[in-house]
Amino acid sequence: MINFKRVLAIGAHPDDVEFSCLGYLMKLKENGSKITVYVASNGSAGDPTSSVDRIDESRNALHCIGAELVYRNQSGICITDYEKISVELRALILRTKPDLILIHSQFDTHQEHKYLRDIVMTASRRVPCSIFSYKSVSVTVGYQENLYININKYIDKKIEYVRMHKSQRGHVYMSEESIRLFHVSWFAKMRTNDYIESFYAEQIIG
Ligand SMILES: [Zn+2]
């Protein structure tokens, strides 16, 4: 178990952090970590479900880890938002002093995930903290992972809370079966982990 005291989990949209990291965050919370979640939009640009209601869905889903939720109530992220989000994130990093940041992967193909990852990697470049990037439903087959977190104990609760994103239930990846499959890895299974969340450790600072 890799434990951290102050964790900042960052996602472009409501449900990104929950879908990819909620099991690990539950585990960290149980071990006493203080968790802050930053959501950079209320949904993708052009998505008719984008609205402040999606922020409420995140609030409900994150209730199980008692996280502070910081969000931008705007649809989508575009290149012109770069400086504004960067300033916000630098202030948030200074205030919360994370020893771990969780962020989208370099193998992610969603344009808004990519924008946000770039901003975070730049905003945190001189911060003495570990950075793990997380798997999402939009990574390429080349997605690289080197860190497996056993979430056997948390998978049922995770599914229950992820599905609090009611506006997103129409997506195939939001079915219970798909969520379970997302957390299965043959490599991890051979090491007794039925369900895992996987990450790529960009840097580990102890
Ligand atoms: Zn997203």
Side-chain angles (χ1 to χ4, degrees):
M1 167 66 183
I2 299 176
N3 207 6
F4 295 91
K5 290 194 177 79
R6 295 171 306 279
V7 180
L8 177 57
I10 298 172
H13 312 113
D15 84 2
D16 287 341
V17 165
E18 293 92 312
F19 199 93
S20 297
C21 315
L22 192 59
Y24 185 28
L25 293 176
M26 285 176 177
K27 203 168 192 172
L28 287 162
K29 177 70 183 176
E30 212 169 86
N31 282 277
S33 306
K34 186 175 184 317
I35 298 161
T36 305
V37 175
Y38 177 85
V39 179
S41 75
N42 63 22
S44 300
D47 180 341
T49 68
S50 297
S51 84
V52 72
D53 294 347
R54 289 204 60 194
I55 300 293
D56 288 338
E57 290 175 346
S58 262
R59 191 175 285 113
N60 294 338
L62 295 168
H63 183 70
C64 63
I65 51 166
E68 177 190 1
L69 174 61
V70 180
Y71 62 92
R72 290 174 71 247
N73 187 19
Q74 291 179 31
S75 298
I77 302 167
C78 60
I79 196 78
T80 52
D81 294 327
Y82 201 105
E83 192 53 33
K84 220 183 305 172
I85 295 177
S86 182
V87 167
E88 257 180 51
L89 274 172
R90 282 199 293 266
L92 187 61
I93 288 169
L94 279 175
R95 177 169 72 78
T96 59
K97 298 182 176 52
D99 49 11
L100 173 65
I101 291 177
L102 301 172
I103 183 57
H104 296 285
S105 156
Q106 66 170 306
F107 295 95
D108 206 302
T109 57
H110 192 304
Q111 188 62 62
E112 295 181 3
H113 295 180
K114 288 158 76 79
Y115 282 148
L116 187 63
R117 174 190 162 82
D118 268 5
I119 298 169
V120 171
M121 294 307 281
T122 303
S124 62
R125 70 190 185 280
R126 297 214 176 103
V127 179
C129 74
S130 299
I131 300 176
F132 299 165
S133 54
Y134 53 80
K135 182 172 75 175
S136 77
V137 295
S138 47
V139 293
T140 66
V141 289
Y143 170 73
Q144 214 178 341
E145 55 199 3
N146 60 8
L147 175 58
Y148 296 90
I149 301 291
N150 179 332
I151 63 155
N152 292 351
K153 185 179 157 189
Y154 305 95
I155 186 68
D156 291 336
K157 195 172 169 191
K158 172 169 180 175
I159 291 169
E160 180 190 337
Y161 278 83
V162 166
R163 284 176 53 79
M164 287 186 176
H165 286 274
K166 291 182 180 162
S167 66
Q168 305 305 301
R169 284 194 187 172
H171 292 294
V172 67
Y173 58 80
M174 273 294 193
S175 71
E176 177 173 346
E177 184 193 12
S178 295
I179 298 174
R180 283 189 190 278
L181 278 173
F182 180 80
H183 293 84
V184 172
S185 148
W186 179 249
F187 180 87
K189 178 81 177 167
M190 289 296 94
R191 289 152 182 84
T192 74
N193 298 323
D194 286 337
Y195 294 103
I196 51 98
E197 283 174 352
S198 80
F199 299 85
Y200 180 75
E202 309 273 354
Q203 62 186 45
I204 303 174
I205 311 281

